[in-house]
Amino acid sequence: MLELATPNAGDLLREVADLKAQSLRFGTALENLVQGVCFFDGEQRLILSNRRYWEIYNLPPDRLGPGVTLHEVILARIAVGSFPAEEEQPYLAWRVALADQSKPHDSVVELRDGRVIAIHHRPMPDRGWVSTHEDITERRRAEDRIVHLASHDPLTGLGNRALFQARLVEVRAACARAARSWAVLYVDLDDFKAANDTLGHAQGDAVLQLVAERLRRLVRRGDSVARLGGDEFGVLAPDVNGEAEAAQLSGRIVAGLAEPFALGGRSVCIGACVGAALARPDHDASPEQLLRWADMALYQAKADGRSTYRVFRPELETAWRARQDLEHELRAALDRGEFELHYQPLIALPGGEIGGVEALLRWNHPTRGIVPPAEFLPLAEETGLILPIGEWVLRSACRQGAAWSRVRMAVNLSPLQLQAPGLVPLVEAVLAETGLEPGRLELEITETALLRPLAGIVGALDRLRGIGVRVVIDDFGTGYSSLAYLQNLPCDKLKIDRSFVCALGDASVAPDRTGAIVQAIVSLCRAIGVEVNAEGVETAAQEERLRLEGCGEMQGFRFGRPMPASAMSAVLRGEAEPA
Ligand code: C2E
Ligand code: CA
Ligand code: CA
């Protein structure tokens, strides 16, 4: 027996040793888990737990050893406040009932101190269970941050476009259930780009934050505000009773944003336009439709001027469509060769010979006939199409100027072209390509272009003058800061705007105020060595008066209307009189 028992005892000892080692490994593993773990038996009594479990629930580990009931554990947790932010008794009942379930169960609870714990409950065959507890507060916060980032604009803290659209769907459904009308508004800042350029990007960001803050205050409680991108914002107003109320809300936003903003000791005016669309319970407009309406209303508001609002009405759709069509056709016009340049003579005084011509753009529209620039240039400017169109104008005019060997060629530059970084190299390349002498090219820039920051533009103009190109200020007198340019801007000539010339000799403008202004401009220019042109001369009396004042150059219907190149060629060859 003994002989037989000996190997058994050895086996047993080895087994015990193995078990001990295994238990040690198990214990070490358990103590080092990041999760809290506890085992309960079929009587809901604790068999085993690890330190992490007690830590998570702020429980003293020595107080609750093996044998305590789940009920006692939960009571101890309630005593130290480590339980969810609900009533104690219902929680206790829920937790104990959960232990009775024979199915695995996962839950996430938020403790009263704000920590979030994920609990996995796994039943065992003897009706006991093992549960693991993990503090996922940090992970949850990170997830919340990601969700917030994905739906909010980090600069202003407002909801972003995605959130706006999701909210719009919600508001639409809620208002349909309540049979209530509501509104969606687009808010577009008037002068943000100019402010951003002048003040720099950091200050531009600060302006957007101030706008967001003010917008929040301008809307009512329950309305939501979002930043849809750049300088465009959106408002959802879930309770707007009819068009008049939509107009009232829009008007309040326009007026509120027209007030200046205080930014680092200075006051900045931005202003905004608002387009609103009203959703009525009796007209089930889709979200896309409402956004399109708001967009159309905004487009109309912007077309009507700064700090304006419009509430969508069906008529607006017609204007909007016309513009869409025009934009579409304008995009194709360049490729289809529908643009043409006409040329108007610039008359040198006192001799009266043609010293130059101004190139003026015409669009030969296949069905509308000749479209004047005033009808399509604003759209070209807004859409950026002016850049390729302007390049075509410059190249065509310079080519024509080179062919007309003697006269100067004046070309109009739009504000956008003037700001484009590639302007100087473009002019250089076109001059080289066409062979036009730089001294025969005059680039006309308008005051509106100069309302923008001067620094970059002055640099470009300096470089252009450096290569011999002449710079001309167009429409002088129509902007706000004319005299300031004369001080800062490198230029060779200025053109007195037609509105002054037109009023010359007009007896109703007494006592000859216009005459005095023109006189002052001419003598000022003489004093600072800048040439003067008078535009829009139509009558002999105007010509006479300008000659008297010593104006150096005239232009107007009196000397010739803008004409096609072929007609201008004949005039320059002396074969025809200007029309
Ligand atoms: P602008 O540069 O001031 O051009 C003079 C405008 O006055 C021309 O109008 C011309 O036809 C008109 N005009 C000339 N003499 C008289 C006159 O005696 N009486 C009257 N009532 N009008 C006269 P247009 O061609 O319709 O051009 C309008 C404006 O469009 C131009 O004003 C210019 O700012 C812009 N523009 C024209 N072509 C171009 C271009 O190629 N590029 C850019 N960026 N702008 C252009
Ligand atoms: Ca001009
Ligand atoms: Ca002009």
Side-chain angles (χ1 to χ4, degrees):
M1 291 292 278
L2 204 70
E3 273 182 336
L4 277 174
T6 312
N8 276 351
D11 282 352
L12 212 63
L13 278 174
R14 219 172 295 122
E15 249 171 58
V16 168
D18 281 353
L19 262 176
K20 269 194 176 160
Q22 209 175 326
S23 159
L24 192 70
R25 281 198 294 270
F26 177 68
T28 313
L30 200 62
E31 283 311 304
N32 286 301
L33 277 180
V34 289
Q35 286 102 344
V37 180
C38 17
F39 294 83
F40 282 87
D41 64 16
E43 259 72 65
Q44 301 201 344
R45 285 182 185 281
L46 184 64
I47 305 172
L48 185 67
S49 63
N50 67 354
R51 191 164 21 106
R52 185 73 189 120
Y53 177 79
W54 308 103
E55 278 169 9
I56 286 178
Y57 295 108
N58 296 325
L59 295 171
D62 41 347
R63 265 204 34 221
L64 298 161
V68 300
T69 62
L70 173 67
H71 194 264
E72 287 166 327
V73 172
I74 301 294
L75 282 180
R77 278 180 42 193
I78 287 175
V80 296
S82 292
F83 71 106
E86 51 192 83
E87 289 299 312
E88 302 164 13
Q89 287 309 318
Y91 176 67
L92 185 64
W94 171 79
R95 188 61 193 91
V96 172
L98 183 65
D100 255 350
Q101 280 193 11
S102 55
K103 282 202 227 95
H105 185 273
D106 295 332
S107 55
V108 173
V109 298
E110 187 177 333
L111 303 184
R112 289 199 160 182
D113 61 6
R115 284 180 306 130
V116 181
I117 314 294
I119 304 171
H120 302 273
H121 176 94
R122 294 289 176 272
M124 312 260 260
D126 65 348
R127 294 189 60 244
W129 73 89
V130 53
S131 64
T132 60
H133 303 249
E134 189 179 1
D135 185 337
I136 58 165
T137 315
E138 277 314 310
R139 197 197 309 159
R140 189 45 85 81
R141 283 206 187 121
E143 284 167 5
D144 287 351
R145 265 199 298 277
I146 289 166
V147 170
H148 191 269
L149 278 179
S151 59
H152 286 77
D153 165 42
L155 180 65
T156 59
L158 293 177
N160 62 12
R161 187 180 281 274
L163 187 65
F164 183 74
Q165 272 164 348
R167 281 282 295 145
L168 187 138
V169 171
E170 283 168 25
V171 169
R172 179 170 170 268
C175 291
R177 279 195 301 275
R180 216 170 49 208
S181 52
W182 58 284
V184 45
L185 282 72
Y186 275 151
V187 180
D188 193 275
L189 304 184
D190 287 333
D191 283 325
F192 178 69
K193 280 184 190 71
N196 203 29
D197 289 345
T198 328
L199 305 170
H201 285 276
Q203 297 284 64
D205 282 356
V207 168
L208 288 172
Q209 287 168 332
L210 291 175
V211 167
E213 194 184 299
R214 191 173 293 174
L215 255 180
R216 268 200 207 103
R217 278 192 285 117
L218 286 166
V219 301
R220 296 164 306 182
R221 197 204 303 260
D223 294 354
S224 25
V225 183
R227 177 165 175 226
L228 304 178
D231 57 352
E232 196 178 315
F233 298 82
V235 176
L236 293 173
D239 196 0
V240 171
N241 216 342
E243 242 166 60
E245 239 184 81
Q248 205 179 14
L249 175 62
S250 306
R252 194 168 68 231
I253 291 175
V254 165
L257 293 179
E259 293 291 319
F261 290 92
L263 191 74
R266 68 166 118 186
S267 144
V268 182
C269 286
I270 301 293
C273 283
V274 171
L278 187 72
R280 290 194 173 83
D282 56 346
H283 184 309
D284 185 28
S286 68
E288 296 72 34
Q289 176 110 67
L290 287 165
L291 290 176
R292 237 162 50 86
W293 285 351
D295 194 35
M296 288 176 193
L298 177 64
Y299 162 70
Q300 192 59 48
K302 288 204 299 198
D304 291 348
R306 314 143 86 79
S307 286
T308 310
Y309 68 84
R310 288 285 169 268
V311 179
F312 177 81
R313 320 207 71 206
E315 309 86 89
L316 289 187
E317 189 146 6
T318 323
W320 188 81
R321 284 206 188 288
R323 177 202 130 106
Q324 296 292 99
D325 289 349
L326 191 68
E327 184 179 333
H328 196 71
E329 291 166 350
L330 197 56
R331 283 187 191 282
L334 206 52
D335 290 338
R336 293 189 188 145
E338 291 172 1
F339 289 119
E340 190 185 337
L341 289 178
H342 282 196
Y343 299 90
Q344 185 177 34
L346 308 178
I347 307 301
L349 294 178
E353 68 279 6
I354 298 177
V357 296
E358 177 175 1
L360 294 160
L361 184 58
R362 300 289 178 264
W363 180 8
N364 274 318
H365 190 278
T367 55
R368 296 181 209 211
I370 290 202
V371 185
E375 282 179 34
F376 65 88
L377 281 179
L379 183 62
E381 182 82 18
E382 203 180 303
T383 51
L385 283 170
I386 192 66
L387 293 177
I389 296 174
E391 183 173 337
W392 178 88
V393 169
L394 182 70
R395 187 166 278 119
S396 311
C398 288
R399 193 175 296 131
Q400 187 60 73
W404 283 334
S405 60
R406 201 174 42 81
V407 294
R408 284 187 186 143
M409 176 59 70
V411 175
N412 292 285
L413 284 189
S414 88
L416 204 66
Q417 282 177 286
L418 199 56
Q419 288 176 348
L423 177 66
V424 181
L426 174 69
V427 171
E428 284 173 328
V430 168
L431 287 174
E433 182 187 316
T434 59
L436 180 69
E437 302 91 305
R440 284 210 286 134
L441 177 61
E442 293 189 328
L443 295 176
E444 299 195 355
I445 60 181
T446 57
E447 283 197 321
T448 38
L450 303 170
L451 289 176
R452 306 273 162 84
L454 285 172
I457 293 177
V458 169
L461 295 180
D462 271 333
R463 281 194 286 154
L464 288 169
R465 291 181 81 221
I467 57 171
V469 171
R470 289 159 54 85
V471 170
V472 178
I473 298 181
D474 206 352
D475 305 340
F476 186 80
T478 54
Y480 308 103
S481 46
S482 314
L483 290 177
Y485 305 160
L486 290 185
Q487 205 172 10
N488 302 322
L489 258 195
C491 75
D492 300 276
K493 173 157 76 176
L494 66 79
K495 299 176 85 169
I496 303 175
D497 190 65
R498 195 171 72 223
S499 53
F500 294 98
V501 175
C502 181
L504 265 190
D506 180 344
S508 68
V509 187
D512 195 18
R513 222 179 243 191
T514 314
I517 293 174
V518 170
Q519 192 177 23
I521 298 175
V522 174
S523 46
L524 184 68
C525 286
R526 192 177 303 126
I528 59 174
V530 170
E531 295 171 23
V532 187
N533 165 301
E535 293 187 285
V537 182
E538 295 184 356
T539 67
Q542 288 165 348
E543 179 187 344
E544 208 43 51
R545 181 66 196 261
L546 288 160
R547 279 181 181 273
L548 208 68
E549 300 302 348
C551 180
E553 186 179 82
M554 282 190 239
Q555 172 182 7
F557 294 171
R558 175 160 176 77
F559 311 102
R561 289 177 180 263
M563 60 192 98
S566 52
M568 194 71 220
S569 291
V571 169
L572 287 174
R573 283 197 305 267
E575 295 166 8
E577 285 294 306

